[in-house]
């Protein structure tokens, strides 16, 4: 106590400071210092400015330049050695740290590069990116109006706008970091609506439950079933037609089958934009099956939801307005950047809150001086929740609904162009006519052309895509994914989604596959 | 087809471009344009630079200046009107958009301000912030080595470093956006280890399960139980002692009780650093109870985990090395910024992957040309996963383990100082001697002093904190939270965690509470 008092009085007399105003460390009784050096904001901001310059140069200018590589491939052992990742007792110098920023940028994949076609996200939108920098700097959590006033109101407006694109005048919703957990929200709400006693008493209070999705639906439904206490075995996989779309008649059959096996169906997860083929399940007909059986209809439109912005193509999602809930990831086709995923809900009875609330007193005090219905955090299954609405909002303000629509339409147009160009070339074979912007294709190297009937054709063909992939990665010329699917051997999934592309990149893609695969 | 061909040949002849090299839109047969105007990277980067300047000025310089307000409070209706949040068909101008960036910054809470004590996060670390900007720019997903080579290796190193602070030489782990879901990972793994059949067959294949946590443990355990198919009613709440710590003997009793009721205990979630009081459960003794009953021991150290960095204070977590899993949020005390939460696991049998895998072929191809064990995405319950390791890694490189330790120790020292200063003032009453940096206190206004025995004392006292809170928010002078707890009426929870604070802010806190509350 004496030391602390001394410190305080010293301070008051002005003796706790150096001549230049920097506080002098003074020992407390426990050997710690009060008024030890404070973090130097000016120095910190100087570092940030320098880092920003590097980010602009290396990650943005070079990272979007088609003359530069998409990735600077290094094998794991080599990369470990280059990066010197180990964390040590002492800190590093300003210059060393800037070199680290540069290295991280250099050896990371440039997902904003016009020749990055590897995932269901790509490209960069600078307004969204500015929104993300601002979000990071403001560093708050989206649970109460008191700590996130702007973002609570903003989330409300953005959700309402997205809901109206689905076709709902009212409803609810929430931003969540990723489509998988958005799908989990659907499962939890559907289960709670059907069997509210589950919240308190667990699944043992109800019969065995059953969920339905298509064979080409996203694997997150199965992960969810296992995570949420339903079980993989209680996910019924509905057959798809030749283009990967759920067959409503088979759904109906499987619902009957599940009932006969003693399970209680409660949710169907249809897909708008499947992960591999980009197929759209026939929502209207699925909605009728759900109505017939009284089931919750969820639409996993994580990938395809953005098509709702296009007057020309939104018919692919006809019937979505009949759903109970929708997952939609603007971070995919709309280029907001990771992560920006919404769970949208038709319900207007506060189901989200009733199902998830835990009424934590330290956050959701009921005696606050403002409308506590704005403290939306109890709708969520997590506690702290990052702000994900600003990037989408700012980008939307910048280009308008019209600008977003143009981007979606443009992706369809380029897909069409690519498909038609492919058909003119000998070595390419489509897996299917695309419904969306996923173009699934085999490249048949000259050595395999006309050999379709030979014994080892499939085996040889299955090795083509992995081989070409390795070559393009090592060269860094572009990135595109491949996979097998059901009876189909490895084929490429080319994704045409970024508004940054031009005809040139589409042609390059075809030329480069030919170059990399011609000797296989 | 003809139009597309024409376009291509035009391009080849160079007639698809304006004289200055900008591609000219050419109509395709479907009315869309190929080579319509591409996004202008230079213009976009110019906007980003301007936005960065505003972020620096308004959010960082002003946002950390004690002469400026912590928040610029507006009632919701007024704020809605100011912000003009509505999304429209058309886009806005460069200047309008920059004004929006400015407005968002202006009306947001400055969580980096030295007088922000409202949550379990605060302050700013510029190296971490640079890491976050870089993460946002590189925009990749942490699921495969192929799209996140740097970050897959970096996550491995950071997790290993954090595990070694827990006291484990080996193990596993994952970064997840938020402690609540990290706790869910523990529940899912524990359930799977005890009853692997749950993954396939659901909870109906096993008896009713039971989870244990203390009355002051975080509400996420209850949310998790409801979400994961266990049920709130199967969470047994263990009594705490007078300082909010779980009583191991009561845990033992409740485990027996649950068994007698026909439930099967499988997990105990102990807490290191409870949300309100900052209490540390006695881990060593809890570990012995878990061992006795063969239960999974999880430690929710979301808040208190960072104390492991302090040689002086880490005894508070003695016994944590005996746990099976740990949740730890560096975004709290270590100032990495939201979100940075890790789930750490002692298991070395690939439990994380076995429990969560779904083997999606489009991501986790087994015929890749590199070591596919680096494709860690299948360990996770979500699919896309943001990069959360870089901000922590870069900050750690900047200040070293030693620098982090100093921050933790400093927070303890200032807490001590604040408590001793409080004791010298008449109107303050501690709820408890703090174990950690949460200082829980009542302010007794002059009108209530000496009135402890009067009938309406508790009712009047319960209104003091909400009143003072409203006044400080409207004034914008500082932010600190309050809540009731069990029999205790509303009290303040002051959190001393940012290394940005000095004695001055501690004194200001006490003075300001007195100023705001003296007439109540």
């Amino acid at each position: 106590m004496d030391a602390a008092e001394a410190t305080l009085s010293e301070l008051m007399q002005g003796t706790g400071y150096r001549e230049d105003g920097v506080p002098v460390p003074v020992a407390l009784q426990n050997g710690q210092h009060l008024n030890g050096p404070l973090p130097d904001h000016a120095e910190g901001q100087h570092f940030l400015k320098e880092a920003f310059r590097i980010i602009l140069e290396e990650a943005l200018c070079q990272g979007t330049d088609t003359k530069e590589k998409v990735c600077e491939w290094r094998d794991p052992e080599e990369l470990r050695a280059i990066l010197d990742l180990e964390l040590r007792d002492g800190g590093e110098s300003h210059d060393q740290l800037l070199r680290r920023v540069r290295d991280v940028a250099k050896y990371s994949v440039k997902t904003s590069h016009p020749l990055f076609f590897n995932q269901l996200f790509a490209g960069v939108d600078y307004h969204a990116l500015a929104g993300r920098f601002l979000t990071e700097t403001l560093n708050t959590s989206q649970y109460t109006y008191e700590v996130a006033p702007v973002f609570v109101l903003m989330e409300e407006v953005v959700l309402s706008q997205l809901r109206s694109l689905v076709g709902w005048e009212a409803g609810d919703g929430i931003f969540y970091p990723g489509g998988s957990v958005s799908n989990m929200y659907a499962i939890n709400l559907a289960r709670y609506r059907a069997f509210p006693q589950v919240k308190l008493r667990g699944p043992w209070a109800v019969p065995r439950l059953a969920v339905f999705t298509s064979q080409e639906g996203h694997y997150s439904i199965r992960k969810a079933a296992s995570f949420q206490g339903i079980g993989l075995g209680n996910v019924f996989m509905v057959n798809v037609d030749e283009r990967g779309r759920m067959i409503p008649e088979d759904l109906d059959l499987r619902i009957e089958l599940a009932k006969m096996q003693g399970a209680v169906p409660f949710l169907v997860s249809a897909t708008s934009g499947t992960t591999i083929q980009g197929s759209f399940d026939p929502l209207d007909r699925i909605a009728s099956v759900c109505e017939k059986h009284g089931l919750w209809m969820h639409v996993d439109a994580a990938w395809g939801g953005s098509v709702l912005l296009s007057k020309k193509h939104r018919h692919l999602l006809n019937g979505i307005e009949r759903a109970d809930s929708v997952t939609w990831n603007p971070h995919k086709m709309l280029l907001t950047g990771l992560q920006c995923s919404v769970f949208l809900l038709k319900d207007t009875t506060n189901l989200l809150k009733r199902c998830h609330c835990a009424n934590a007193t330290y956050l959701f005090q009921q005696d606050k001086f403002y409308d506590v219905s704005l403290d939306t955090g109890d709708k969520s299954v997590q506690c702290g929740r990052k702000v994900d609405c600003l990037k989408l909002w700012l980008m939307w303000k910048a280009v308008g609904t019209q600008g977003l629509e143009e981007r979606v339409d443009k992706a369809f147009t380029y897909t069409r162009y690519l498909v038609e160009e492919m058909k003119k070339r000998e070595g390419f074979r489509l897996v299917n006519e695309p419904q969306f912007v996923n173009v699934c294709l085999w490249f048949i190297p000259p050595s395999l052309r006309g050999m379709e009937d030979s014994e080892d054709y499939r085996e040889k063909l299955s090795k083509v895509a992995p081989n070409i992939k390795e070559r393009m990665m090592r060269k860094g010329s572009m990135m595109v994914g491949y996979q097998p699917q059901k009876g189909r051997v490895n084929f490429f999934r080319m994704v045409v989604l970024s508004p940054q592309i031009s005809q040139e990149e589409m042609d390059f893609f075809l030329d480069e596959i030919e170059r990399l695969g011609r000797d296989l």
Side-chain angles (χ1 to χ4, degrees), chain A:
Chain A
M1 277 309 308
D2 291 345
E5 270 168 7
T7 305
L8 190 65
S9 73
E10 271 174 29
L11 255 180
M12 285 171 162
Q13 293 155 25
T15 60
Y17 291 96
R18 293 198 320 226
E19 277 174 44
D20 57 359
V22 173
V24 173
V26 206
L28 258 192
Q29 77 275 28
N30 56 5
Q32 278 296 314
H33 296 105
L34 278 179
N35 295 313
L38 289 175
D40 186 329
H41 286 288
E43 197 180 298
Q45 286 165 19
H46 174 62
F47 180 82
L48 191 64
K49 280 183 220 168
E50 299 278 299
F52 179 72
R53 196 185 321 237
I54 295 172
I55 288 171
L56 265 179
E57 275 167 29
E58 318 258 321
L60 290 170
C61 288
Q62 287 185 38
T64 57
D65 183 347
T66 42
K67 292 188 294 298
E68 301 282 338
K69 291 182 180 181
V70 177
C71 66
E72 186 67 51
W73 176 266
R74 290 292 183 281
D75 286 316
E77 271 321 305
E78 196 189 346
L79 187 55
R80 271 195 195 97
I82 292 171
L83 293 176
D84 171 34
L85 293 162
E86 206 195 324
L87 299 165
R88 304 192 178 83
D89 270 355
E92 296 188 345
S93 71
H94 178 88
D95 289 346
Q96 258 177 316
L97 292 164
L98 288 177
R99 198 159 55 241
R100 296 204 174 273
V101 169
R102 211 176 285 276
D103 280 350
V104 168
K106 177 169 180 187
Y107 296 105
S108 287
V109 170
K110 306 303 179 300
T111 65
S112 303
H113 195 285
L115 295 167
F116 177 83
F117 310 112
N118 207 67
Q119 315 291 148
L120 300 185
F121 60 88
V124 58
D125 177 282
Y126 293 96
H127 295 102
L129 189 56
R132 294 157 78 192
F133 283 11
L134 184 54
T135 301
E136 294 298 320
T137 308
L138 292 172
N139 194 43
T140 196
S141 181
Q142 180 101 40
Y143 37 43
T144 61
Y145 184 77
E146 134 191 2
V147 293
V150 172
F151 303 124
V152 162
L153 301 182
M154 189 180 281
E155 181 168 287
E156 194 177 76
V157 171
V158 178
L159 287 171
S160 149
Q161 189 78 22
L162 295 173
R163 274 196 311 266
S164 77
L165 285 164
V166 168
W168 298 335
E169 278 172 23
D172 205 345
I174 197 163
F175 276 80
Y176 191 86
S180 294
V181 183
S182 292
N183 287 341
M184 288 188 187
Y185 271 77
I187 291 179
N188 205 39
L189 292 177
R191 177 168 62 179
Y192 178 75
R193 190 181 68 177
F195 302 100
Q197 65 268 41
V198 169
K199 181 171 178 179
L200 185 63
R201 294 169 56 208
W204 301 282
V206 302
R208 184 162 66 91
L209 301 176
V211 171
F212 301 81
T213 193
S214 90
Q215 289 165 344
E216 301 198 6
H218 191 254
Y219 71 89
S220 56
I221 297 293
R222 281 175 295 135
K223 286 211 177 193
S226 140
F227 195 69
Q228 295 185 274
I230 285 165
L232 283 177
N234 296 315
V235 181
F236 288 73
M237 308 299 278
V238 182
N239 284 337
V240 293
D241 67 15
E242 74 296 345
R243 292 181 70 187
R245 296 169 295 203
M246 184 191 281
I247 301 172
E249 294 74 17
D250 191 62
L251 170 63
D252 194 27
L253 269 177
R254 273 171 212 272
I255 292 171
E256 296 295 355
L257 184 73
K259 286 179 180 173
M260 275 163 44
Q261 291 175 358
V264 177
F266 74 104
L267 173 133
V268 175
S269 180
T271 311
S272 291
T274 58
T275 314
I276 298 177
Q277 293 211 65
S279 312
F280 287 79
D281 287 347
L283 301 183
D284 227 6
R285 292 167 59 210
I286 290 169
S288 299
V289 178
C290 289
E291 267 169 27
K292 174 180 161 193
H293 295 278
L295 307 187
W296 182 289
M297 177 175 167
H298 174 65
V299 180
D300 179 352
W303 176 216
S306 302
V307 177
L308 289 168
L309 283 154
S310 162
K311 287 186 273 297
K312 190 162 167 187
H313 299 285
R314 61 168 290 145
H315 64 86
L316 288 165
L317 296 101
N318 277 352
I320 195 169
E321 69 287 353
R322 296 172 69 188
D324 294 289
S325 58
V326 170
T327 292
W328 176 355
N329 290 4
H331 70 228
K332 294 187 154 74
M333 193 158 217
L334 297 186
L335 273 77
T336 59
L338 297 164
Q339 286 181 328
C340 185
S341 169
V342 292
F343 173 72
L344 301 172
L345 188 63
K346 189 195 259 165
D347 169 84
T348 54
T349 68
N350 218 8
L351 185 66
L352 204 47
K353 185 149 176 198
R354 285 187 289 126
C355 177
H356 292 144
C357 70
N359 305 310
T361 59
Y362 74 97
L363 282 172
F364 310 118
Q365 304 90 324
Q366 296 303 301
D367 50 9
K368 285 183 179 175
F369 65 100
Y370 60 84
D371 174 9
V372 293
S373 75
L374 291 168
D375 290 356
T376 53
D378 221 12
K379 289 183 179 180
S380 147
V381 291
Q382 73 270 56
C383 178
R385 192 160 58 88
K386 237 189 117 106
V387 172
D388 283 331
C389 56
L390 173 60
K391 50 197 165 197
L392 176 55
W393 180 84
L394 193 62
M395 180 180 80
W396 204 319
K397 281 285 189 190
V399 302
T401 312
Q402 230 165 15
L404 298 179
E405 178 174 17
E406 278 163 23
R407 289 186 187 175
V408 174
D409 285 343
K410 187 173 170 188
F412 274 92
T413 303
Y414 276 94
T415 305
R416 204 62 252 149
Y417 172 77
L418 180 70
V419 167
E420 299 306 330
E421 285 304 304
M422 258 177 61
K423 287 179 180 168
K424 296 180 202 160
R425 303 194 185 204
E426 208 187 341
F428 293 90
R429 222 170 68 216
L430 275 177
V431 171
N432 255 319
E433 270 303 321
Q435 281 195 275
F436 194 21
V437 299
N438 308 37
V439 183
C440 293
L441 61 113
W442 287 282
F443 176 70
I444 323 284
S447 72
L448 287 178
R449 292 179 198 162
M451 311 288 284
E452 287 80 356
D453 297 330
S454 75
E455 218 171 85
D456 53 358
Y457 177 78
R458 280 174 54 86
E459 203 203 311
K460 282 184 174 161
L461 182 58
S462 77
K463 292 187 175 137
V464 172
N467 263 316
I468 293 180
K469 177 67 178 264
E470 174 169 1
R471 289 174 178 187
M472 75 173 74
M473 293 294 291
R474 293 199 183 276
K475 189 176 166 192
S477 58
M478 66 179 181
M479 277 180 73
V480 58
Y482 72 87
Q483 65 285 300
Q485 192 185 34
K486 287 198 282 186
R488 298 170 183 129
V489 300
N490 282 324
F491 55 88
F492 287 111
R493 180 196 65 176
M494 164 71 176
V495 184
V496 186
L497 75 85
S498 156
Q500 276 164 227
I501 45 171
S502 67
Q503 209 164 317
E504 213 175 324
E505 280 80 38
M506 298 292 92
D507 295 338
F508 180 87
F509 167 78
L510 297 170
D511 294 344
E512 183 69 0
I513 294 275
E514 281 176 348
R515 267 192 297 270
L516 295 170
R518 69 163 63 108
D519 65 333
L520 290 175

